[in-house]
Amino acid sequence: MKLLFAIVQNDDQRALTNALIERSISVTRIASTGGFLRGGNSTLMIGVDADKLDETLEIIKKQSSRRHIVTVPATGIPHNIDSVAMPMTVTVGGATVFVLEVENSFKF
């Protein structure tokens, strides 16, 4: 058995969770906050048998889209004068997935 921790943006978590449930893959959502851009994230705990690992990873990949956003540095925060006027393009979305081997699993 495998335990996956998938960290995704809140914008992606609902569609991803629904896609997993449709395929009878159990998932638990934990609210979390990212360090970069301080955006809202969700950490999904997903338990699957080893033979469903590839299918689960494909679902995560498909439902966790990467997108580009343009942001301007916040006002009121000290910046190098050149960087204040320069908008930055930042890629957000996607998923970070950790896969762990589960020695035992119990449901009570």
Side-chain angles (χ1 to χ4, degrees):
M1 177 168 228
K2 305 289 184 180
L3 175 63
L4 286 71
F5 286 97
I7 303 164
V8 299
Q9 282 208 313
N10 282 342
D11 293 343
D12 297 329
Q13 74 83 19
R14 180 165 287 147
L16 173 54
T17 300
N18 288 339
L20 291 168
I21 291 169
E22 285 174 8
R23 290 176 181 82
S24 300
I25 298 171
S26 56
V27 58
T28 299
R29 182 175 82 73
I30 303 170
S32 54
T33 303
F36 188 64
L37 298 179
R38 290 176 176 60
N41 291 335
S42 293
T43 301
L44 303 179
M45 287 187 349
I46 306 162
V48 295
D49 290 325
D51 62 338
K52 288 188 102 172
L53 178 62
D54 290 337
E55 175 188 1
T56 304
L57 290 172
E58 279 302 312
I59 295 167
I60 294 169
K61 185 177 180 179
K62 181 179 178 185
Q63 297 295 329
S64 303
S65 60
R66 298 184 72 114
R67 14 189 205 284
H68 296 284
I69 62 169
V70 176
T71 184
V72 179
T75 58
I77 298 174
H79 293 286
N80 177 334
I81 194 69
D82 294 334
S83 69
V84 173
M86 294 291 278
M88 298 180 344
T89 302
V90 179
T91 301
V92 296
T96 302
V97 182
F98 299 93
V99 180
L100 295 95
E101 187 68 40
V102 175
E103 187 172 318
N104 292 305
S105 173
F106 304 97
K107 289 186 181 184
F108 299 107

